[in-house]
């Protein structure tokens, strides 16, 4: 099936705006349908109750469910999710002509707060209901901040060690100009977009609000001692 097939992986971390980017790329009808295909539990909740648990089946889904008619596929993956598959498959070998996008967020504290709030509310997408209200928890925010720094460092180590030069996109740039991000991915994949994206499939909205800013200020007051340097 590899003849003419090519694709990309969005290498990122939780709460980076990756669902928003994925929906924009999918809306073109020419840049694959990137999702967390190695997260079978998530796929069973959101897309397919029979989504395969085995890695070989997940790879097949990437190359079919994750592809558009021009045989371009897409996926997104967090660094810790790679641990789930690494003992069973070499993803670079299993996925033909794989390219890489590194999606990051400049405001890492804001990202950690977003993750902490999602853990409390159960709302990982704006389209999901809130299961409970949020309560400021500096320790939880610190744990998610630590985890995000490690996730980012693992991807940077991967790119440095392999010599892979990914397309780098930042969350803040996507929010400011989604079409520019789409064009960058299209250029990377050698695709000329034939039509305007179908915006009806873009249902993700930004979840950050005044609480996020209030928590950031409070966290820095409580944990922002400049005389210490963190271990990660």
């Amino acid at each position: 099936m590899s003849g003419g097939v090519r694709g990309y992986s969005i290498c990122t971390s939780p709460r980076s705006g990756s669902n928003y980017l994925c929906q924009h790329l999918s809306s073109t009808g020419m840049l694959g349908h990137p999702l967390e295909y190695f997260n079978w539990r998530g796929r069973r909740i959101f897309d397919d109750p029979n989504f395969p648990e085995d890695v070989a089946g997940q790879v097949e889904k990437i190359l079919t469910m994750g592809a558009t008619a021009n045989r371009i596929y897409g996926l997104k993956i967090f660094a810790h999710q790679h641990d789930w598959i690494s003992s069973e498959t070499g993803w670079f070998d299993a996925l033909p002509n794989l390219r890489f996008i590194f999606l990051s967020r400049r405001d890492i504290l804001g990202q950690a707060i977003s993750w902490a709030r999602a853990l409390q509310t159960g709302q990982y997408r704006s389209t999901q209901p809130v299961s409970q209200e949020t309560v400021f928890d500096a320790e939880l925010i610190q744990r998610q901040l630590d985890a995000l720094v490690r996730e980012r460092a693992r991807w940077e180590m991967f790119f440095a060690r392999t010599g892979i030069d990914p397309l780098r996109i930042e969350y803040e740039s996507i929010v400011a100009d989604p079409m520019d991000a789409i064009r960058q991915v299209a250029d990377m994949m050698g695709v000329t977009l034939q039509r305007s994206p179908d915006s009806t499939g873009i249902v993700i909205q930004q979840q950050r609000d005044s609480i996020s800013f209030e928590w950031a200020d409070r966290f820095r007051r409580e944990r922002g001692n400049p005389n210490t340097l963190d271990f990660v």
Side-chain angles (χ1 to χ4, degrees):
M1 182 176 180
S2 62
V5 178
R6 64 194 192 280
Y8 59 88
S9 172
I10 300 172
C11 304
T12 190
S13 54
R15 316 308 295 167
S16 63
S18 55
N19 285 325
Y20 187 63
L21 175 60
C22 288
Q23 288 192 353
H24 275 282
L25 294 174
S26 185
S27 73
T28 67
M30 300 184 70
L31 292 172
H33 300 296
L35 294 169
E36 289 175 40
Y37 291 104
F38 292 124
N39 179 6
W40 63 270
R41 292 181 179 86
R43 295 278 61 77
R44 287 186 179 183
I45 292 171
F46 290 111
D47 305 306
D48 180 359
N50 298 311
F51 195 85
E53 182 176 353
D54 64 290
V55 176
Q58 293 162 11
V59 168
E60 182 62 23
K61 284 291 188 180
I62 292 170
L63 299 176
T64 53
M65 179 179 172
T68 39
N70 57 353
R71 309 188 79 188
I72 289 179
Y73 65 85
L75 70 142
K76 75 160 180 166
I77 184 172
F78 304 144
H80 70 268
Q81 291 175 342
H82 189 271
D83 301 334
W84 303 347
I85 66 169
S86 58
S87 64
E88 295 186 42
T89 189
W91 69 323
F92 193 80
D93 296 328
L95 296 170
N97 302 309
L98 182 61
R99 304 289 299 275
F100 295 89
I101 299 167
F102 182 47
L103 173 62
S104 61
R105 185 167 170 172
R106 289 196 293 270
D107 181 8
I108 306 178
L109 177 57
Q111 187 177 357
I113 289 171
S114 177
W115 196 359
R117 293 183 68 182
L119 289 169
Q120 289 185 343
T121 64
Q123 187 186 47
Y124 288 86
R125 300 181 180 186
S126 59
T127 53
Q128 291 180 280
V130 173
S131 61
Q132 66 180 32
E133 294 303 312
T134 59
V135 178
F136 179 83
D137 185 338
E139 190 60 38
L140 176 60
I141 295 171
Q142 184 70 59
R143 285 200 300 270
Q144 305 321 119
L145 183 59
D146 290 345
L148 288 171
V149 170
R150 288 193 296 271
E151 287 269 321
R152 179 179 293 197
R154 291 188 69 182
W155 284 127
E156 292 288 14
M157 178 71 80
F158 171 74
F159 296 131
R161 179 176 54 78
T162 60
I164 292 169
D165 184 18
L167 171 64
R168 293 177 179 267
I169 300 177
E170 291 183 328
Y171 162 80
E172 289 82 358
S173 299
I174 301 169
V175 172
D177 189 351
M179 274 306 303
D180 183 63
I182 290 174
R183 285 191 291 267
Q184 290 185 62
V185 177
D187 289 345
M188 180 186 75
M189 299 307 298
V191 170
T192 301
L193 299 177
Q194 302 296 327
R195 57 178 175 79
S196 298
D198 179 9
S199 61
T200 59
I202 303 170
V203 298
I204 297 293
Q205 296 180 352
Q206 191 176 34
Q207 292 176 266
R208 184 172 58 179
D209 55 21
S210 61
I211 294 175
S212 301
F213 294 109
E214 291 168 7
W215 283 17
D217 289 340
R218 181 174 173 181
F219 183 84
R220 289 191 176 102
R221 288 196 303 270
E222 295 184 11
R223 300 289 180 110
N225 183 357
N227 293 310
T228 62
L229 195 62
D230 300 275
F231 291 96
V232 294

